[in-house]
Amino acid sequence: MAVDALDARILRLLLEQPRTSVREYARLLGIARGTLQARLDRLERDGVITGTGPRLSPGALGHPVLAFVHIEVTQGHLDTVADGLGGVPEIIEAFSITGGGDLMARVVARDAAHLEDVIQRLVQLPGVVRTRTEMVLRERVPYRMVPLVDAVGRAAGRRPV
């Protein structure tokens, strides 16, 4: 699905002002409300917009420790282990990967001891061979989408119509 320059402007506005009404977005963009709503519906249907809820801080929820855990899995057990990861609330994301391991999980914890408990829970899942944990010291670039949306919008503006 191609995102054009107007889509990029809409997405940027959604990111910068997430609590604004559709009517106000349309006014700010200088387009009809129906046009905006049709674009939003398409962006959701095409999977560009994947959610509208608030971003929460694990640290503010009492889980300030962040780690990335690489998980090596016995061949043929990837889906079983991935399903097992879904049962661990401290895992806030997990991905199949290439390289040193089969899965990588983003894990939050209350403290180092709690992180160890979570890792011990992971190694007990059937099919897990071993784990390797990398603890985050400091966030250097926070999660962001605006620079990517801007780059996509600039590229769309240069594409021939």
mmCIF file with all atom_site columns, all heavy atoms in Angstrom, residues 59-77:
data_model
loop_
_atom_site.group_PDB
_atom_site.id
_atom_site.type_symbol
_atom_site.label_atom_id
_atom_site.label_alt_id
_atom_site.label_comp_id
_atom_site.label_asym_id
_atom_site.label_entity_id
_atom_site.label_seq_id
_atom_site.pdbx_PDB_ins_code
_atom_site.Cartn_x
_atom_site.Cartn_y
_atom_site.Cartn_z
_atom_site.occupancy
_atom_site.B_iso_or_equiv
_atom_site.pdbx_formal_charge
_atom_site.auth_seq_id
_atom_site.auth_comp_id
_atom_site.auth_asym_id
_atom_site.auth_atom_id
_atom_site.pdbx_PDB_model_num
ATOM 1   N N   . GLY A 1 59 ? 8.223  1.751   33.199 1.00 0.00 ? 59 GLY A N   1
ATOM 2   C CA  . GLY A 1 59 ? 8.875  2.291   34.398 1.00 0.00 ? 59 GLY A CA  1
ATOM 3   C C   . GLY A 1 59 ? 7.865  2.904   35.351 1.00 0.00 ? 59 GLY A C   1
ATOM 4   O O   . GLY A 1 59 ? 7.925  2.699   36.566 1.00 0.00 ? 59 GLY A O   1
ATOM 5   N N   . ALA A 1 60 ? 6.921  3.669   34.811 1.00 0.00 ? 60 ALA A N   1
ATOM 6   C CA  . ALA A 1 60 ? 5.893  4.286   35.647 1.00 0.00 ? 60 ALA A CA  1
ATOM 7   C C   . ALA A 1 60 ? 4.947  3.241   36.224 1.00 0.00 ? 60 ALA A C   1
ATOM 8   O O   . ALA A 1 60 ? 4.269  3.490   37.227 1.00 0.00 ? 60 ALA A O   1
ATOM 9   C CB  . ALA A 1 60 ? 5.119  5.328   34.846 1.00 0.00 ? 60 ALA A CB  1
ATOM 10  N N   . LEU A 1 61 ? 4.902  2.058   35.614 1.00 0.00 ? 61 LEU A N   1
ATOM 11  C CA  . LEU A 1 61 ? 4.098  0.954   36.135 1.00 0.00 ? 61 LEU A CA  1
ATOM 12  C C   . LEU A 1 61 ? 4.891  0.089   37.112 1.00 0.00 ? 61 LEU A C   1
ATOM 13  O O   . LEU A 1 61 ? 4.459  -1.003  37.467 1.00 0.00 ? 61 LEU A O   1
ATOM 14  C CB  . LEU A 1 61 ? 3.584  0.091   34.977 1.00 0.00 ? 61 LEU A CB  1
ATOM 15  C CG  . LEU A 1 61 ? 2.544  0.752   34.069 1.00 0.00 ? 61 LEU A CG  1
ATOM 16  C CD1 . LEU A 1 61 ? 2.279  -0.119  32.842 1.00 0.00 ? 61 LEU A CD1 1
ATOM 17  C CD2 . LEU A 1 61 ? 1.251  1.000   34.838 1.00 0.00 ? 61 LEU A CD2 1
ATOM 18  N N   . GLY A 1 62 ? 6.067  0.574   37.509 1.00 0.00 ? 62 GLY A N   1
ATOM 19  C CA  . GLY A 1 62 ? 6.875  -0.159  38.481 1.00 0.00 ? 62 GLY A CA  1
ATOM 20  C C   . GLY A 1 62 ? 7.842  -1.157  37.892 1.00 0.00 ? 62 GLY A C   1
ATOM 21  O O   . GLY A 1 62 ? 8.375  -1.997  38.609 1.00 0.00 ? 62 GLY A O   1
ATOM 22  N N   . HIS A 1 63 ? 8.085  -1.079  36.581 1.00 0.00 ? 63 HIS A N   1
ATOM 23  C CA  . HIS A 1 63 ? 9.012  -1.988  35.909 1.00 0.00 ? 63 HIS A CA  1
ATOM 24  C C   . HIS A 1 63 ? 10.058 -1.183  35.134 1.00 0.00 ? 63 HIS A C   1
ATOM 25  O O   . HIS A 1 63 ? 10.038 -1.134  33.898 1.00 0.00 ? 63 HIS A O   1
ATOM 26  C CB  . HIS A 1 63 ? 8.232  -2.914  34.966 1.00 0.00 ? 63 HIS A CB  1
ATOM 27  C CG  . HIS A 1 63 ? 7.414  -3.926  35.684 1.00 0.00 ? 63 HIS A CG  1
ATOM 28  N ND1 . HIS A 1 63 ? 6.317  -3.592  36.433 1.00 0.00 ? 63 HIS A ND1 1
ATOM 29  C CD2 . HIS A 1 63 ? 7.551  -5.264  35.785 1.00 0.00 ? 63 HIS A CD2 1
ATOM 30  C CE1 . HIS A 1 63 ? 5.802  -4.689  36.958 1.00 0.00 ? 63 HIS A CE1 1
ATOM 31  N NE2 . HIS A 1 63 ? 6.537  -5.719  36.582 1.00 0.00 ? 63 HIS A NE2 1
ATOM 32  N N   . PRO A 1 64 ? 11.007 -0.553  35.838 1.00 0.00 ? 64 PRO A N   1
ATOM 33  C CA  . PRO A 1 64 ? 11.979 0.319   35.175 1.00 0.00 ? 64 PRO A CA  1
ATOM 34  C C   . PRO A 1 64 ? 13.127 -0.395  34.471 1.00 0.00 ? 64 PRO A C   1
ATOM 35  O O   . PRO A 1 64 ? 13.844 0.216   33.687 1.00 0.00 ? 64 PRO A O   1
ATOM 36  C CB  . PRO A 1 64 ? 12.514 1.169   36.328 1.00 0.00 ? 64 PRO A CB  1
ATOM 37  C CG  . PRO A 1 64 ? 12.414 0.264   37.521 1.00 0.00 ? 64 PRO A CG  1
ATOM 38  C CD  . PRO A 1 64 ? 11.151 -0.539  37.296 1.00 0.00 ? 64 PRO A CD  1
ATOM 39  N N   . VAL A 1 65 ? 13.311 -1.685  34.729 1.00 0.00 ? 65 VAL A N   1
ATOM 40  C CA  . VAL A 1 65 ? 14.409 -2.435  34.117 1.00 0.00 ? 65 VAL A CA  1
ATOM 41  C C   . VAL A 1 65 ? 13.949 -2.954  32.759 1.00 0.00 ? 65 VAL A C   1
ATOM 42  O O   . VAL A 1 65 ? 12.885 -3.566  32.645 1.00 0.00 ? 65 VAL A O   1
ATOM 43  C CB  . VAL A 1 65 ? 14.853 -3.603  35.022 1.00 0.00 ? 65 VAL A CB  1
ATOM 44  C CG1 . VAL A 1 65 ? 15.900 -4.461  34.328 1.00 0.00 ? 65 VAL A CG1 1
ATOM 45  C CG2 . VAL A 1 65 ? 15.382 -3.073  36.342 1.00 0.00 ? 65 VAL A CG2 1
ATOM 46  N N   . LEU A 1 66 ? 14.754 -2.680  31.726 1.00 0.00 ? 66 LEU A N   1
ATOM 47  C CA  . LEU A 1 66 ? 14.459 -3.151  30.372 1.00 0.00 ? 66 LEU A CA  1
ATOM 48  C C   . LEU A 1 66 ? 15.617 -4.017  29.907 1.00 0.00 ? 66 LEU A C   1
ATOM 49  O O   . LEU A 1 66 ? 16.787 -3.655  30.087 1.00 0.00 ? 66 LEU A O   1
ATOM 50  C CB  . LEU A 1 66 ? 14.278 -1.959  29.422 1.00 0.00 ? 66 LEU A CB  1
ATOM 51  C CG  . LEU A 1 66 ? 14.109 -2.278  27.938 1.00 0.00 ? 66 LEU A CG  1
ATOM 52  C CD1 . LEU A 1 66 ? 12.869 -3.123  27.674 1.00 0.00 ? 66 LEU A CD1 1
ATOM 53  C CD2 . LEU A 1 66 ? 14.055 -0.985  27.132 1.00 0.00 ? 66 LEU A CD2 1
ATOM 54  N N   . ALA A 1 67 ? 15.281 -5.148  29.309 1.00 0.00 ? 67 ALA A N   1
ATOM 55  C CA  . ALA A 1 67 ? 16.305 -6.051  28.780 1.00 0.00 ? 67 ALA A CA  1
ATOM 56  C C   . ALA A 1 67 ? 15.811 -6.667  27.485 1.00 0.00 ? 67 ALA A C   1
ATOM 57  O O   . ALA A 1 67 ? 14.601 -6.748  27.237 1.00 0.00 ? 67 ALA A O   1
ATOM 58  C CB  . ALA A 1 67 ? 16.617 -7.152  29.792 1.00 0.00 ? 67 ALA A CB  1
ATOM 59  N N   . PHE A 1 68 ? 16.760 -7.060  26.656 1.00 0.00 ? 68 PHE A N   1
ATOM 60  C CA  . PHE A 1 68 ? 16.458 -7.819  25.453 1.00 0.00 ? 68 PHE A CA  1
ATOM 61  C C   . PHE A 1 68 ? 17.008 -9.219  25.673 1.00 0.00 ? 68 PHE A C   1
ATOM 62  O O   . PHE A 1 68 ? 18.182 -9.383  26.003 1.00 0.00 ? 68 PHE A O   1
ATOM 63  C CB  . PHE A 1 68 ? 17.083 -7.166  24.224 1.00 0.00 ? 68 PHE A CB  1
ATOM 64  C CG  . PHE A 1 68 ? 16.437 -5.845  23.902 1.00 0.00 ? 68 PHE A CG  1
ATOM 65  C CD1 . PHE A 1 68 ? 16.965 -4.664  24.391 1.00 0.00 ? 68 PHE A CD1 1
ATOM 66  C CD2 . PHE A 1 68 ? 15.283 -5.803  23.140 1.00 0.00 ? 68 PHE A CD2 1
ATOM 67  C CE1 . PHE A 1 68 ? 16.357 -3.453  24.118 1.00 0.00 ? 68 PHE A CE1 1
ATOM 68  C CE2 . PHE A 1 68 ? 14.669 -4.586  22.859 1.00 0.00 ? 68 PHE A CE2 1
ATOM 69  C CZ  . PHE A 1 68 ? 15.207 -3.417  23.352 1.00 0.00 ? 68 PHE A CZ  1
ATOM 70  N N   . VAL A 1 69 ? 16.157 -10.204 25.516 1.00 0.00 ? 69 VAL A N   1
ATOM 71  C CA  . VAL A 1 69 ? 16.547 -11.591 25.765 1.00 0.00 ? 69 VAL A CA  1
ATOM 72  C C   . VAL A 1 69 ? 16.504 -12.352 24.446 1.00 0.00 ? 69 VAL A C   1
ATOM 73  O O   . VAL A 1 69 ? 15.459 -12.430 23.798 1.00 0.00 ? 69 VAL A O   1
ATOM 74  C CB  . VAL A 1 69 ? 15.618 -12.257 26.814 1.00 0.00 ? 69 VAL A CB  1
ATOM 75  C CG1 . VAL A 1 69 ? 16.039 -13.702 27.049 1.00 0.00 ? 69 VAL A CG1 1
ATOM 76  C CG2 . VAL A 1 69 ? 15.626 -11.469 28.122 1.00 0.00 ? 69 VAL A CG2 1
ATOM 77  N N   . HIS A 1 70 ? 17.661 -12.879 24.053 1.00 0.00 ? 70 HIS A N   1
ATOM 78  C CA  . HIS A 1 70 ? 17.765 -13.730 22.863 1.00 0.00 ? 70 HIS A CA  1
ATOM 79  C C   . HIS A 1 70 ? 17.477 -15.154 23.335 1.00 0.00 ? 70 HIS A C   1
ATOM 80  O O   . HIS A 1 70 ? 18.049 -15.609 24.328 1.00 0.00 ? 70 HIS A O   1
ATOM 81  C CB  . HIS A 1 70 ? 19.176 -13.657 22.268 1.00 0.00 ? 70 HIS A CB  1
ATOM 82  C CG  . HIS A 1 70 ? 19.542 -12.288 21.813 1.00 0.00 ? 70 HIS A CG  1
ATOM 83  N ND1 . HIS A 1 70 ? 19.473 -11.910 20.507 1.00 0.00 ? 70 HIS A ND1 1
ATOM 84  C CD2 . HIS A 1 70 ? 19.952 -11.195 22.499 1.00 0.00 ? 70 HIS A CD2 1
ATOM 85  C CE1 . HIS A 1 70 ? 19.842 -10.641 20.393 1.00 0.00 ? 70 HIS A CE1 1
ATOM 86  N NE2 . HIS A 1 70 ? 20.140 -10.190 21.594 1.00 0.00 ? 70 HIS A NE2 1
ATOM 87  N N   . ILE A 1 71 ? 16.615 -15.835 22.618 1.00 0.00 ? 71 ILE A N   1
ATOM 88  C CA  . ILE A 1 71 ? 16.182 -17.168 23.024 1.00 0.00 ? 71 ILE A CA  1
ATOM 89  C C   . ILE A 1 71 ? 16.489 -18.149 21.908 1.00 0.00 ? 71 ILE A C   1
ATOM 90  O O   . ILE A 1 71 ? 16.025 -17.975 20.777 1.00 0.00 ? 71 ILE A O   1
ATOM 91  C CB  . ILE A 1 71 ? 14.671 -17.178 23.343 1.00 0.00 ? 71 ILE A CB  1
ATOM 92  C CG1 . ILE A 1 71 ? 14.348 -16.123 24.403 1.00 0.00 ? 71 ILE A CG1 1
ATOM 93  C CG2 . ILE A 1 71 ? 14.224 -18.567 23.786 1.00 0.00 ? 71 ILE A CG2 1
ATOM 94  C CD1 . ILE A 1 71 ? 12.879 -15.792 24.526 1.00 0.00 ? 71 ILE A CD1 1
ATOM 95  N N   . GLU A 1 72 ? 17.271 -19.155 22.235 1.00 0.00 ? 72 GLU A N   1
ATOM 96  C CA  . GLU A 1 72 ? 17.567 -20.223 21.288 1.00 0.00 ? 72 GLU A CA  1
ATOM 97  C C   . GLU A 1 72 ? 16.563 -21.344 21.525 1.00 0.00 ? 72 GLU A C   1
ATOM 98  O O   . GLU A 1 72 ? 16.330 -21.741 22.671 1.00 0.00 ? 72 GLU A O   1
ATOM 99  C CB  . GLU A 1 72 ? 18.997 -20.729 21.485 1.00 0.00 ? 72 GLU A CB  1
ATOM 100 C CG  . GLU A 1 72 ? 19.444 -21.698 20.423 1.00 0.00 ? 72 GLU A CG  1
ATOM 101 C CD  . GLU A 1 72 ? 20.896 -22.110 20.611 1.00 0.00 ? 72 GLU A CD  1
ATOM 102 O OE1 . GLU A 1 72 ? 21.708 -21.273 21.040 1.00 0.00 ? 72 GLU A OE1 1
ATOM 103 O OE2 . GLU A 1 72 ? 21.192 -23.291 20.333 1.00 0.00 ? 72 GLU A OE2 1
ATOM 104 N N   . VAL A 1 73 ? 15.991 -21.848 20.433 1.00 0.00 ? 73 VAL A N   1
ATOM 105 C CA  . VAL A 1 73 ? 14.889 -22.806 20.514 1.00 0.00 ? 73 VAL A CA  1
ATOM 106 C C   . VAL A 1 73 ? 15.267 -24.097 19.796 1.00 0.00 ? 73 VAL A C   1
ATOM 107 O O   . VAL A 1 73 ? 15.920 -24.076 18.749 1.00 0.00 ? 73 VAL A O   1
ATOM 108 C CB  . VAL A 1 73 ? 13.622 -22.188 19.872 1.00 0.00 ? 73 VAL A CB  1
ATOM 109 C CG1 . VAL A 1 73 ? 12.472 -23.171 19.848 1.00 0.00 ? 73 VAL A CG1 1
ATOM 110 C CG2 . VAL A 1 73 ? 13.224 -20.913 20.597 1.00 0.00 ? 73 VAL A CG2 1
ATOM 111 N N   . THR A 1 74 ? 14.830 -25.214 20.349 1.00 0.00 ? 74 THR A N   1
ATOM 112 C CA  . THR A 1 74 ? 14.992 -26.504 19.687 1.00 0.00 ? 74 THR A CA  1
ATOM 113 C C   . THR A 1 74 ? 14.231 -26.479 18.371 1.00 0.00 ? 74 THR A C   1
ATOM 114 O O   . THR A 1 74 ? 13.106 -25.972 18.315 1.00 0.00 ? 74 THR A O   1
ATOM 115 C CB  . THR A 1 74 ? 14.413 -27.633 20.573 1.00 0.00 ? 74 THR A CB  1
ATOM 116 O OG1 . THR A 1 74 ? 15.051 -27.603 21.835 1.00 0.00 ? 74 THR A OG1 1
ATOM 117 C CG2 . THR A 1 74 ? 14.600 -28.995 19.927 1.00 0.00 ? 74 THR A CG2 1
ATOM 118 N N   . GLN A 1 75 ? 14.849 -27.031 17.311 1.00 0.00 ? 75 GLN A N   1
ATOM 119 C CA  . GLN A 1 75 ? 14.188 -27.033 16.006 1.00 0.00 ? 75 GLN A CA  1
ATOM 120 C C   . GLN A 1 75 ? 12.792 -27.641 16.114 1.00 0.00 ? 75 GLN A C   1
ATOM 121 O O   . GLN A 1 75 ? 12.585 -28.639 16.794 1.00 0.00 ? 75 GLN A O   1
ATOM 122 C CB  . GLN A 1 75 ? 15.011 -27.804 14.985 1.00 0.00 ? 75 GLN A CB  1
ATOM 123 C CG  . GLN A 1 75 ? 16.179 -27.001 14.463 1.00 0.00 ? 75 GLN A CG  1
ATOM 124 C CD  . GLN A 1 75 ? 16.829 -27.672 13.273 1.00 0.00 ? 75 GLN A CD  1
ATOM 125 O OE1 . GLN A 1 75 ? 16.737 -28.872 13.081 1.00 0.00 ? 75 GLN A OE1 1
ATOM 126 N NE2 . GLN A 1 75 ? 17.508 -26.870 12.459 1.00 0.00 ? 75 GLN A NE2 1
ATOM 127 N N   . GLY A 1 76 ? 11.858 -27.000 15.431 1.00 0.00 ? 76 GLY A N   1
ATOM 128 C CA  . GLY A 1 76 ? 10.491 -27.489 15.417 1.00 0.00 ? 76 GLY A CA  1
ATOM 129 C C   . GLY A 1 76 ? 9.637  -27.007 16.576 1.00 0.00 ? 76 GLY A C   1
ATOM 130 O O   . GLY A 1 76 ? 8.452  -27.336 16.651 1.00 0.00 ? 76 GLY A O   1
ATOM 131 N N   . HIS A 1 77 ? 10.210 -26.221 17.499 1.00 0.00 ? 77 HIS A N   1
ATOM 132 C CA  . HIS A 1 77 ? 9.470  -25.761 18.675 1.00 0.00 ? 77 HIS A CA  1
ATOM 133 C C   . HIS A 1 77 ? 9.249  -24.244 18.706 1.00 0.00 ? 77 HIS A C   1
ATOM 134 O O   . HIS A 1 77 ? 8.827  -23.708 19.719 1.00 0.00 ? 77 HIS A O   1
ATOM 135 C CB  . HIS A 1 77 ? 10.199 -26.189 19.956 1.00 0.00 ? 77 HIS A CB  1
ATOM 136 C CG  . HIS A 1 77 ? 10.125 -27.660 20.208 1.00 0.00 ? 77 HIS A CG  1
ATOM 137 N ND1 . HIS A 1 77 ? 10.973 -28.558 19.617 1.00 0.00 ? 77 HIS A ND1 1
ATOM 138 C CD2 . HIS A 1 77 ? 9.284  -28.378 20.987 1.00 0.00 ? 77 HIS A CD2 1
ATOM 139 C CE1 . HIS A 1 77 ? 10.675 -29.772 20.022 1.00 0.00 ? 77 HIS A CE1 1
ATOM 140 N NE2 . HIS A 1 77 ? 9.646  -29.690 20.854 1.00 0.00 ? 77 HIS A NE2 1
#
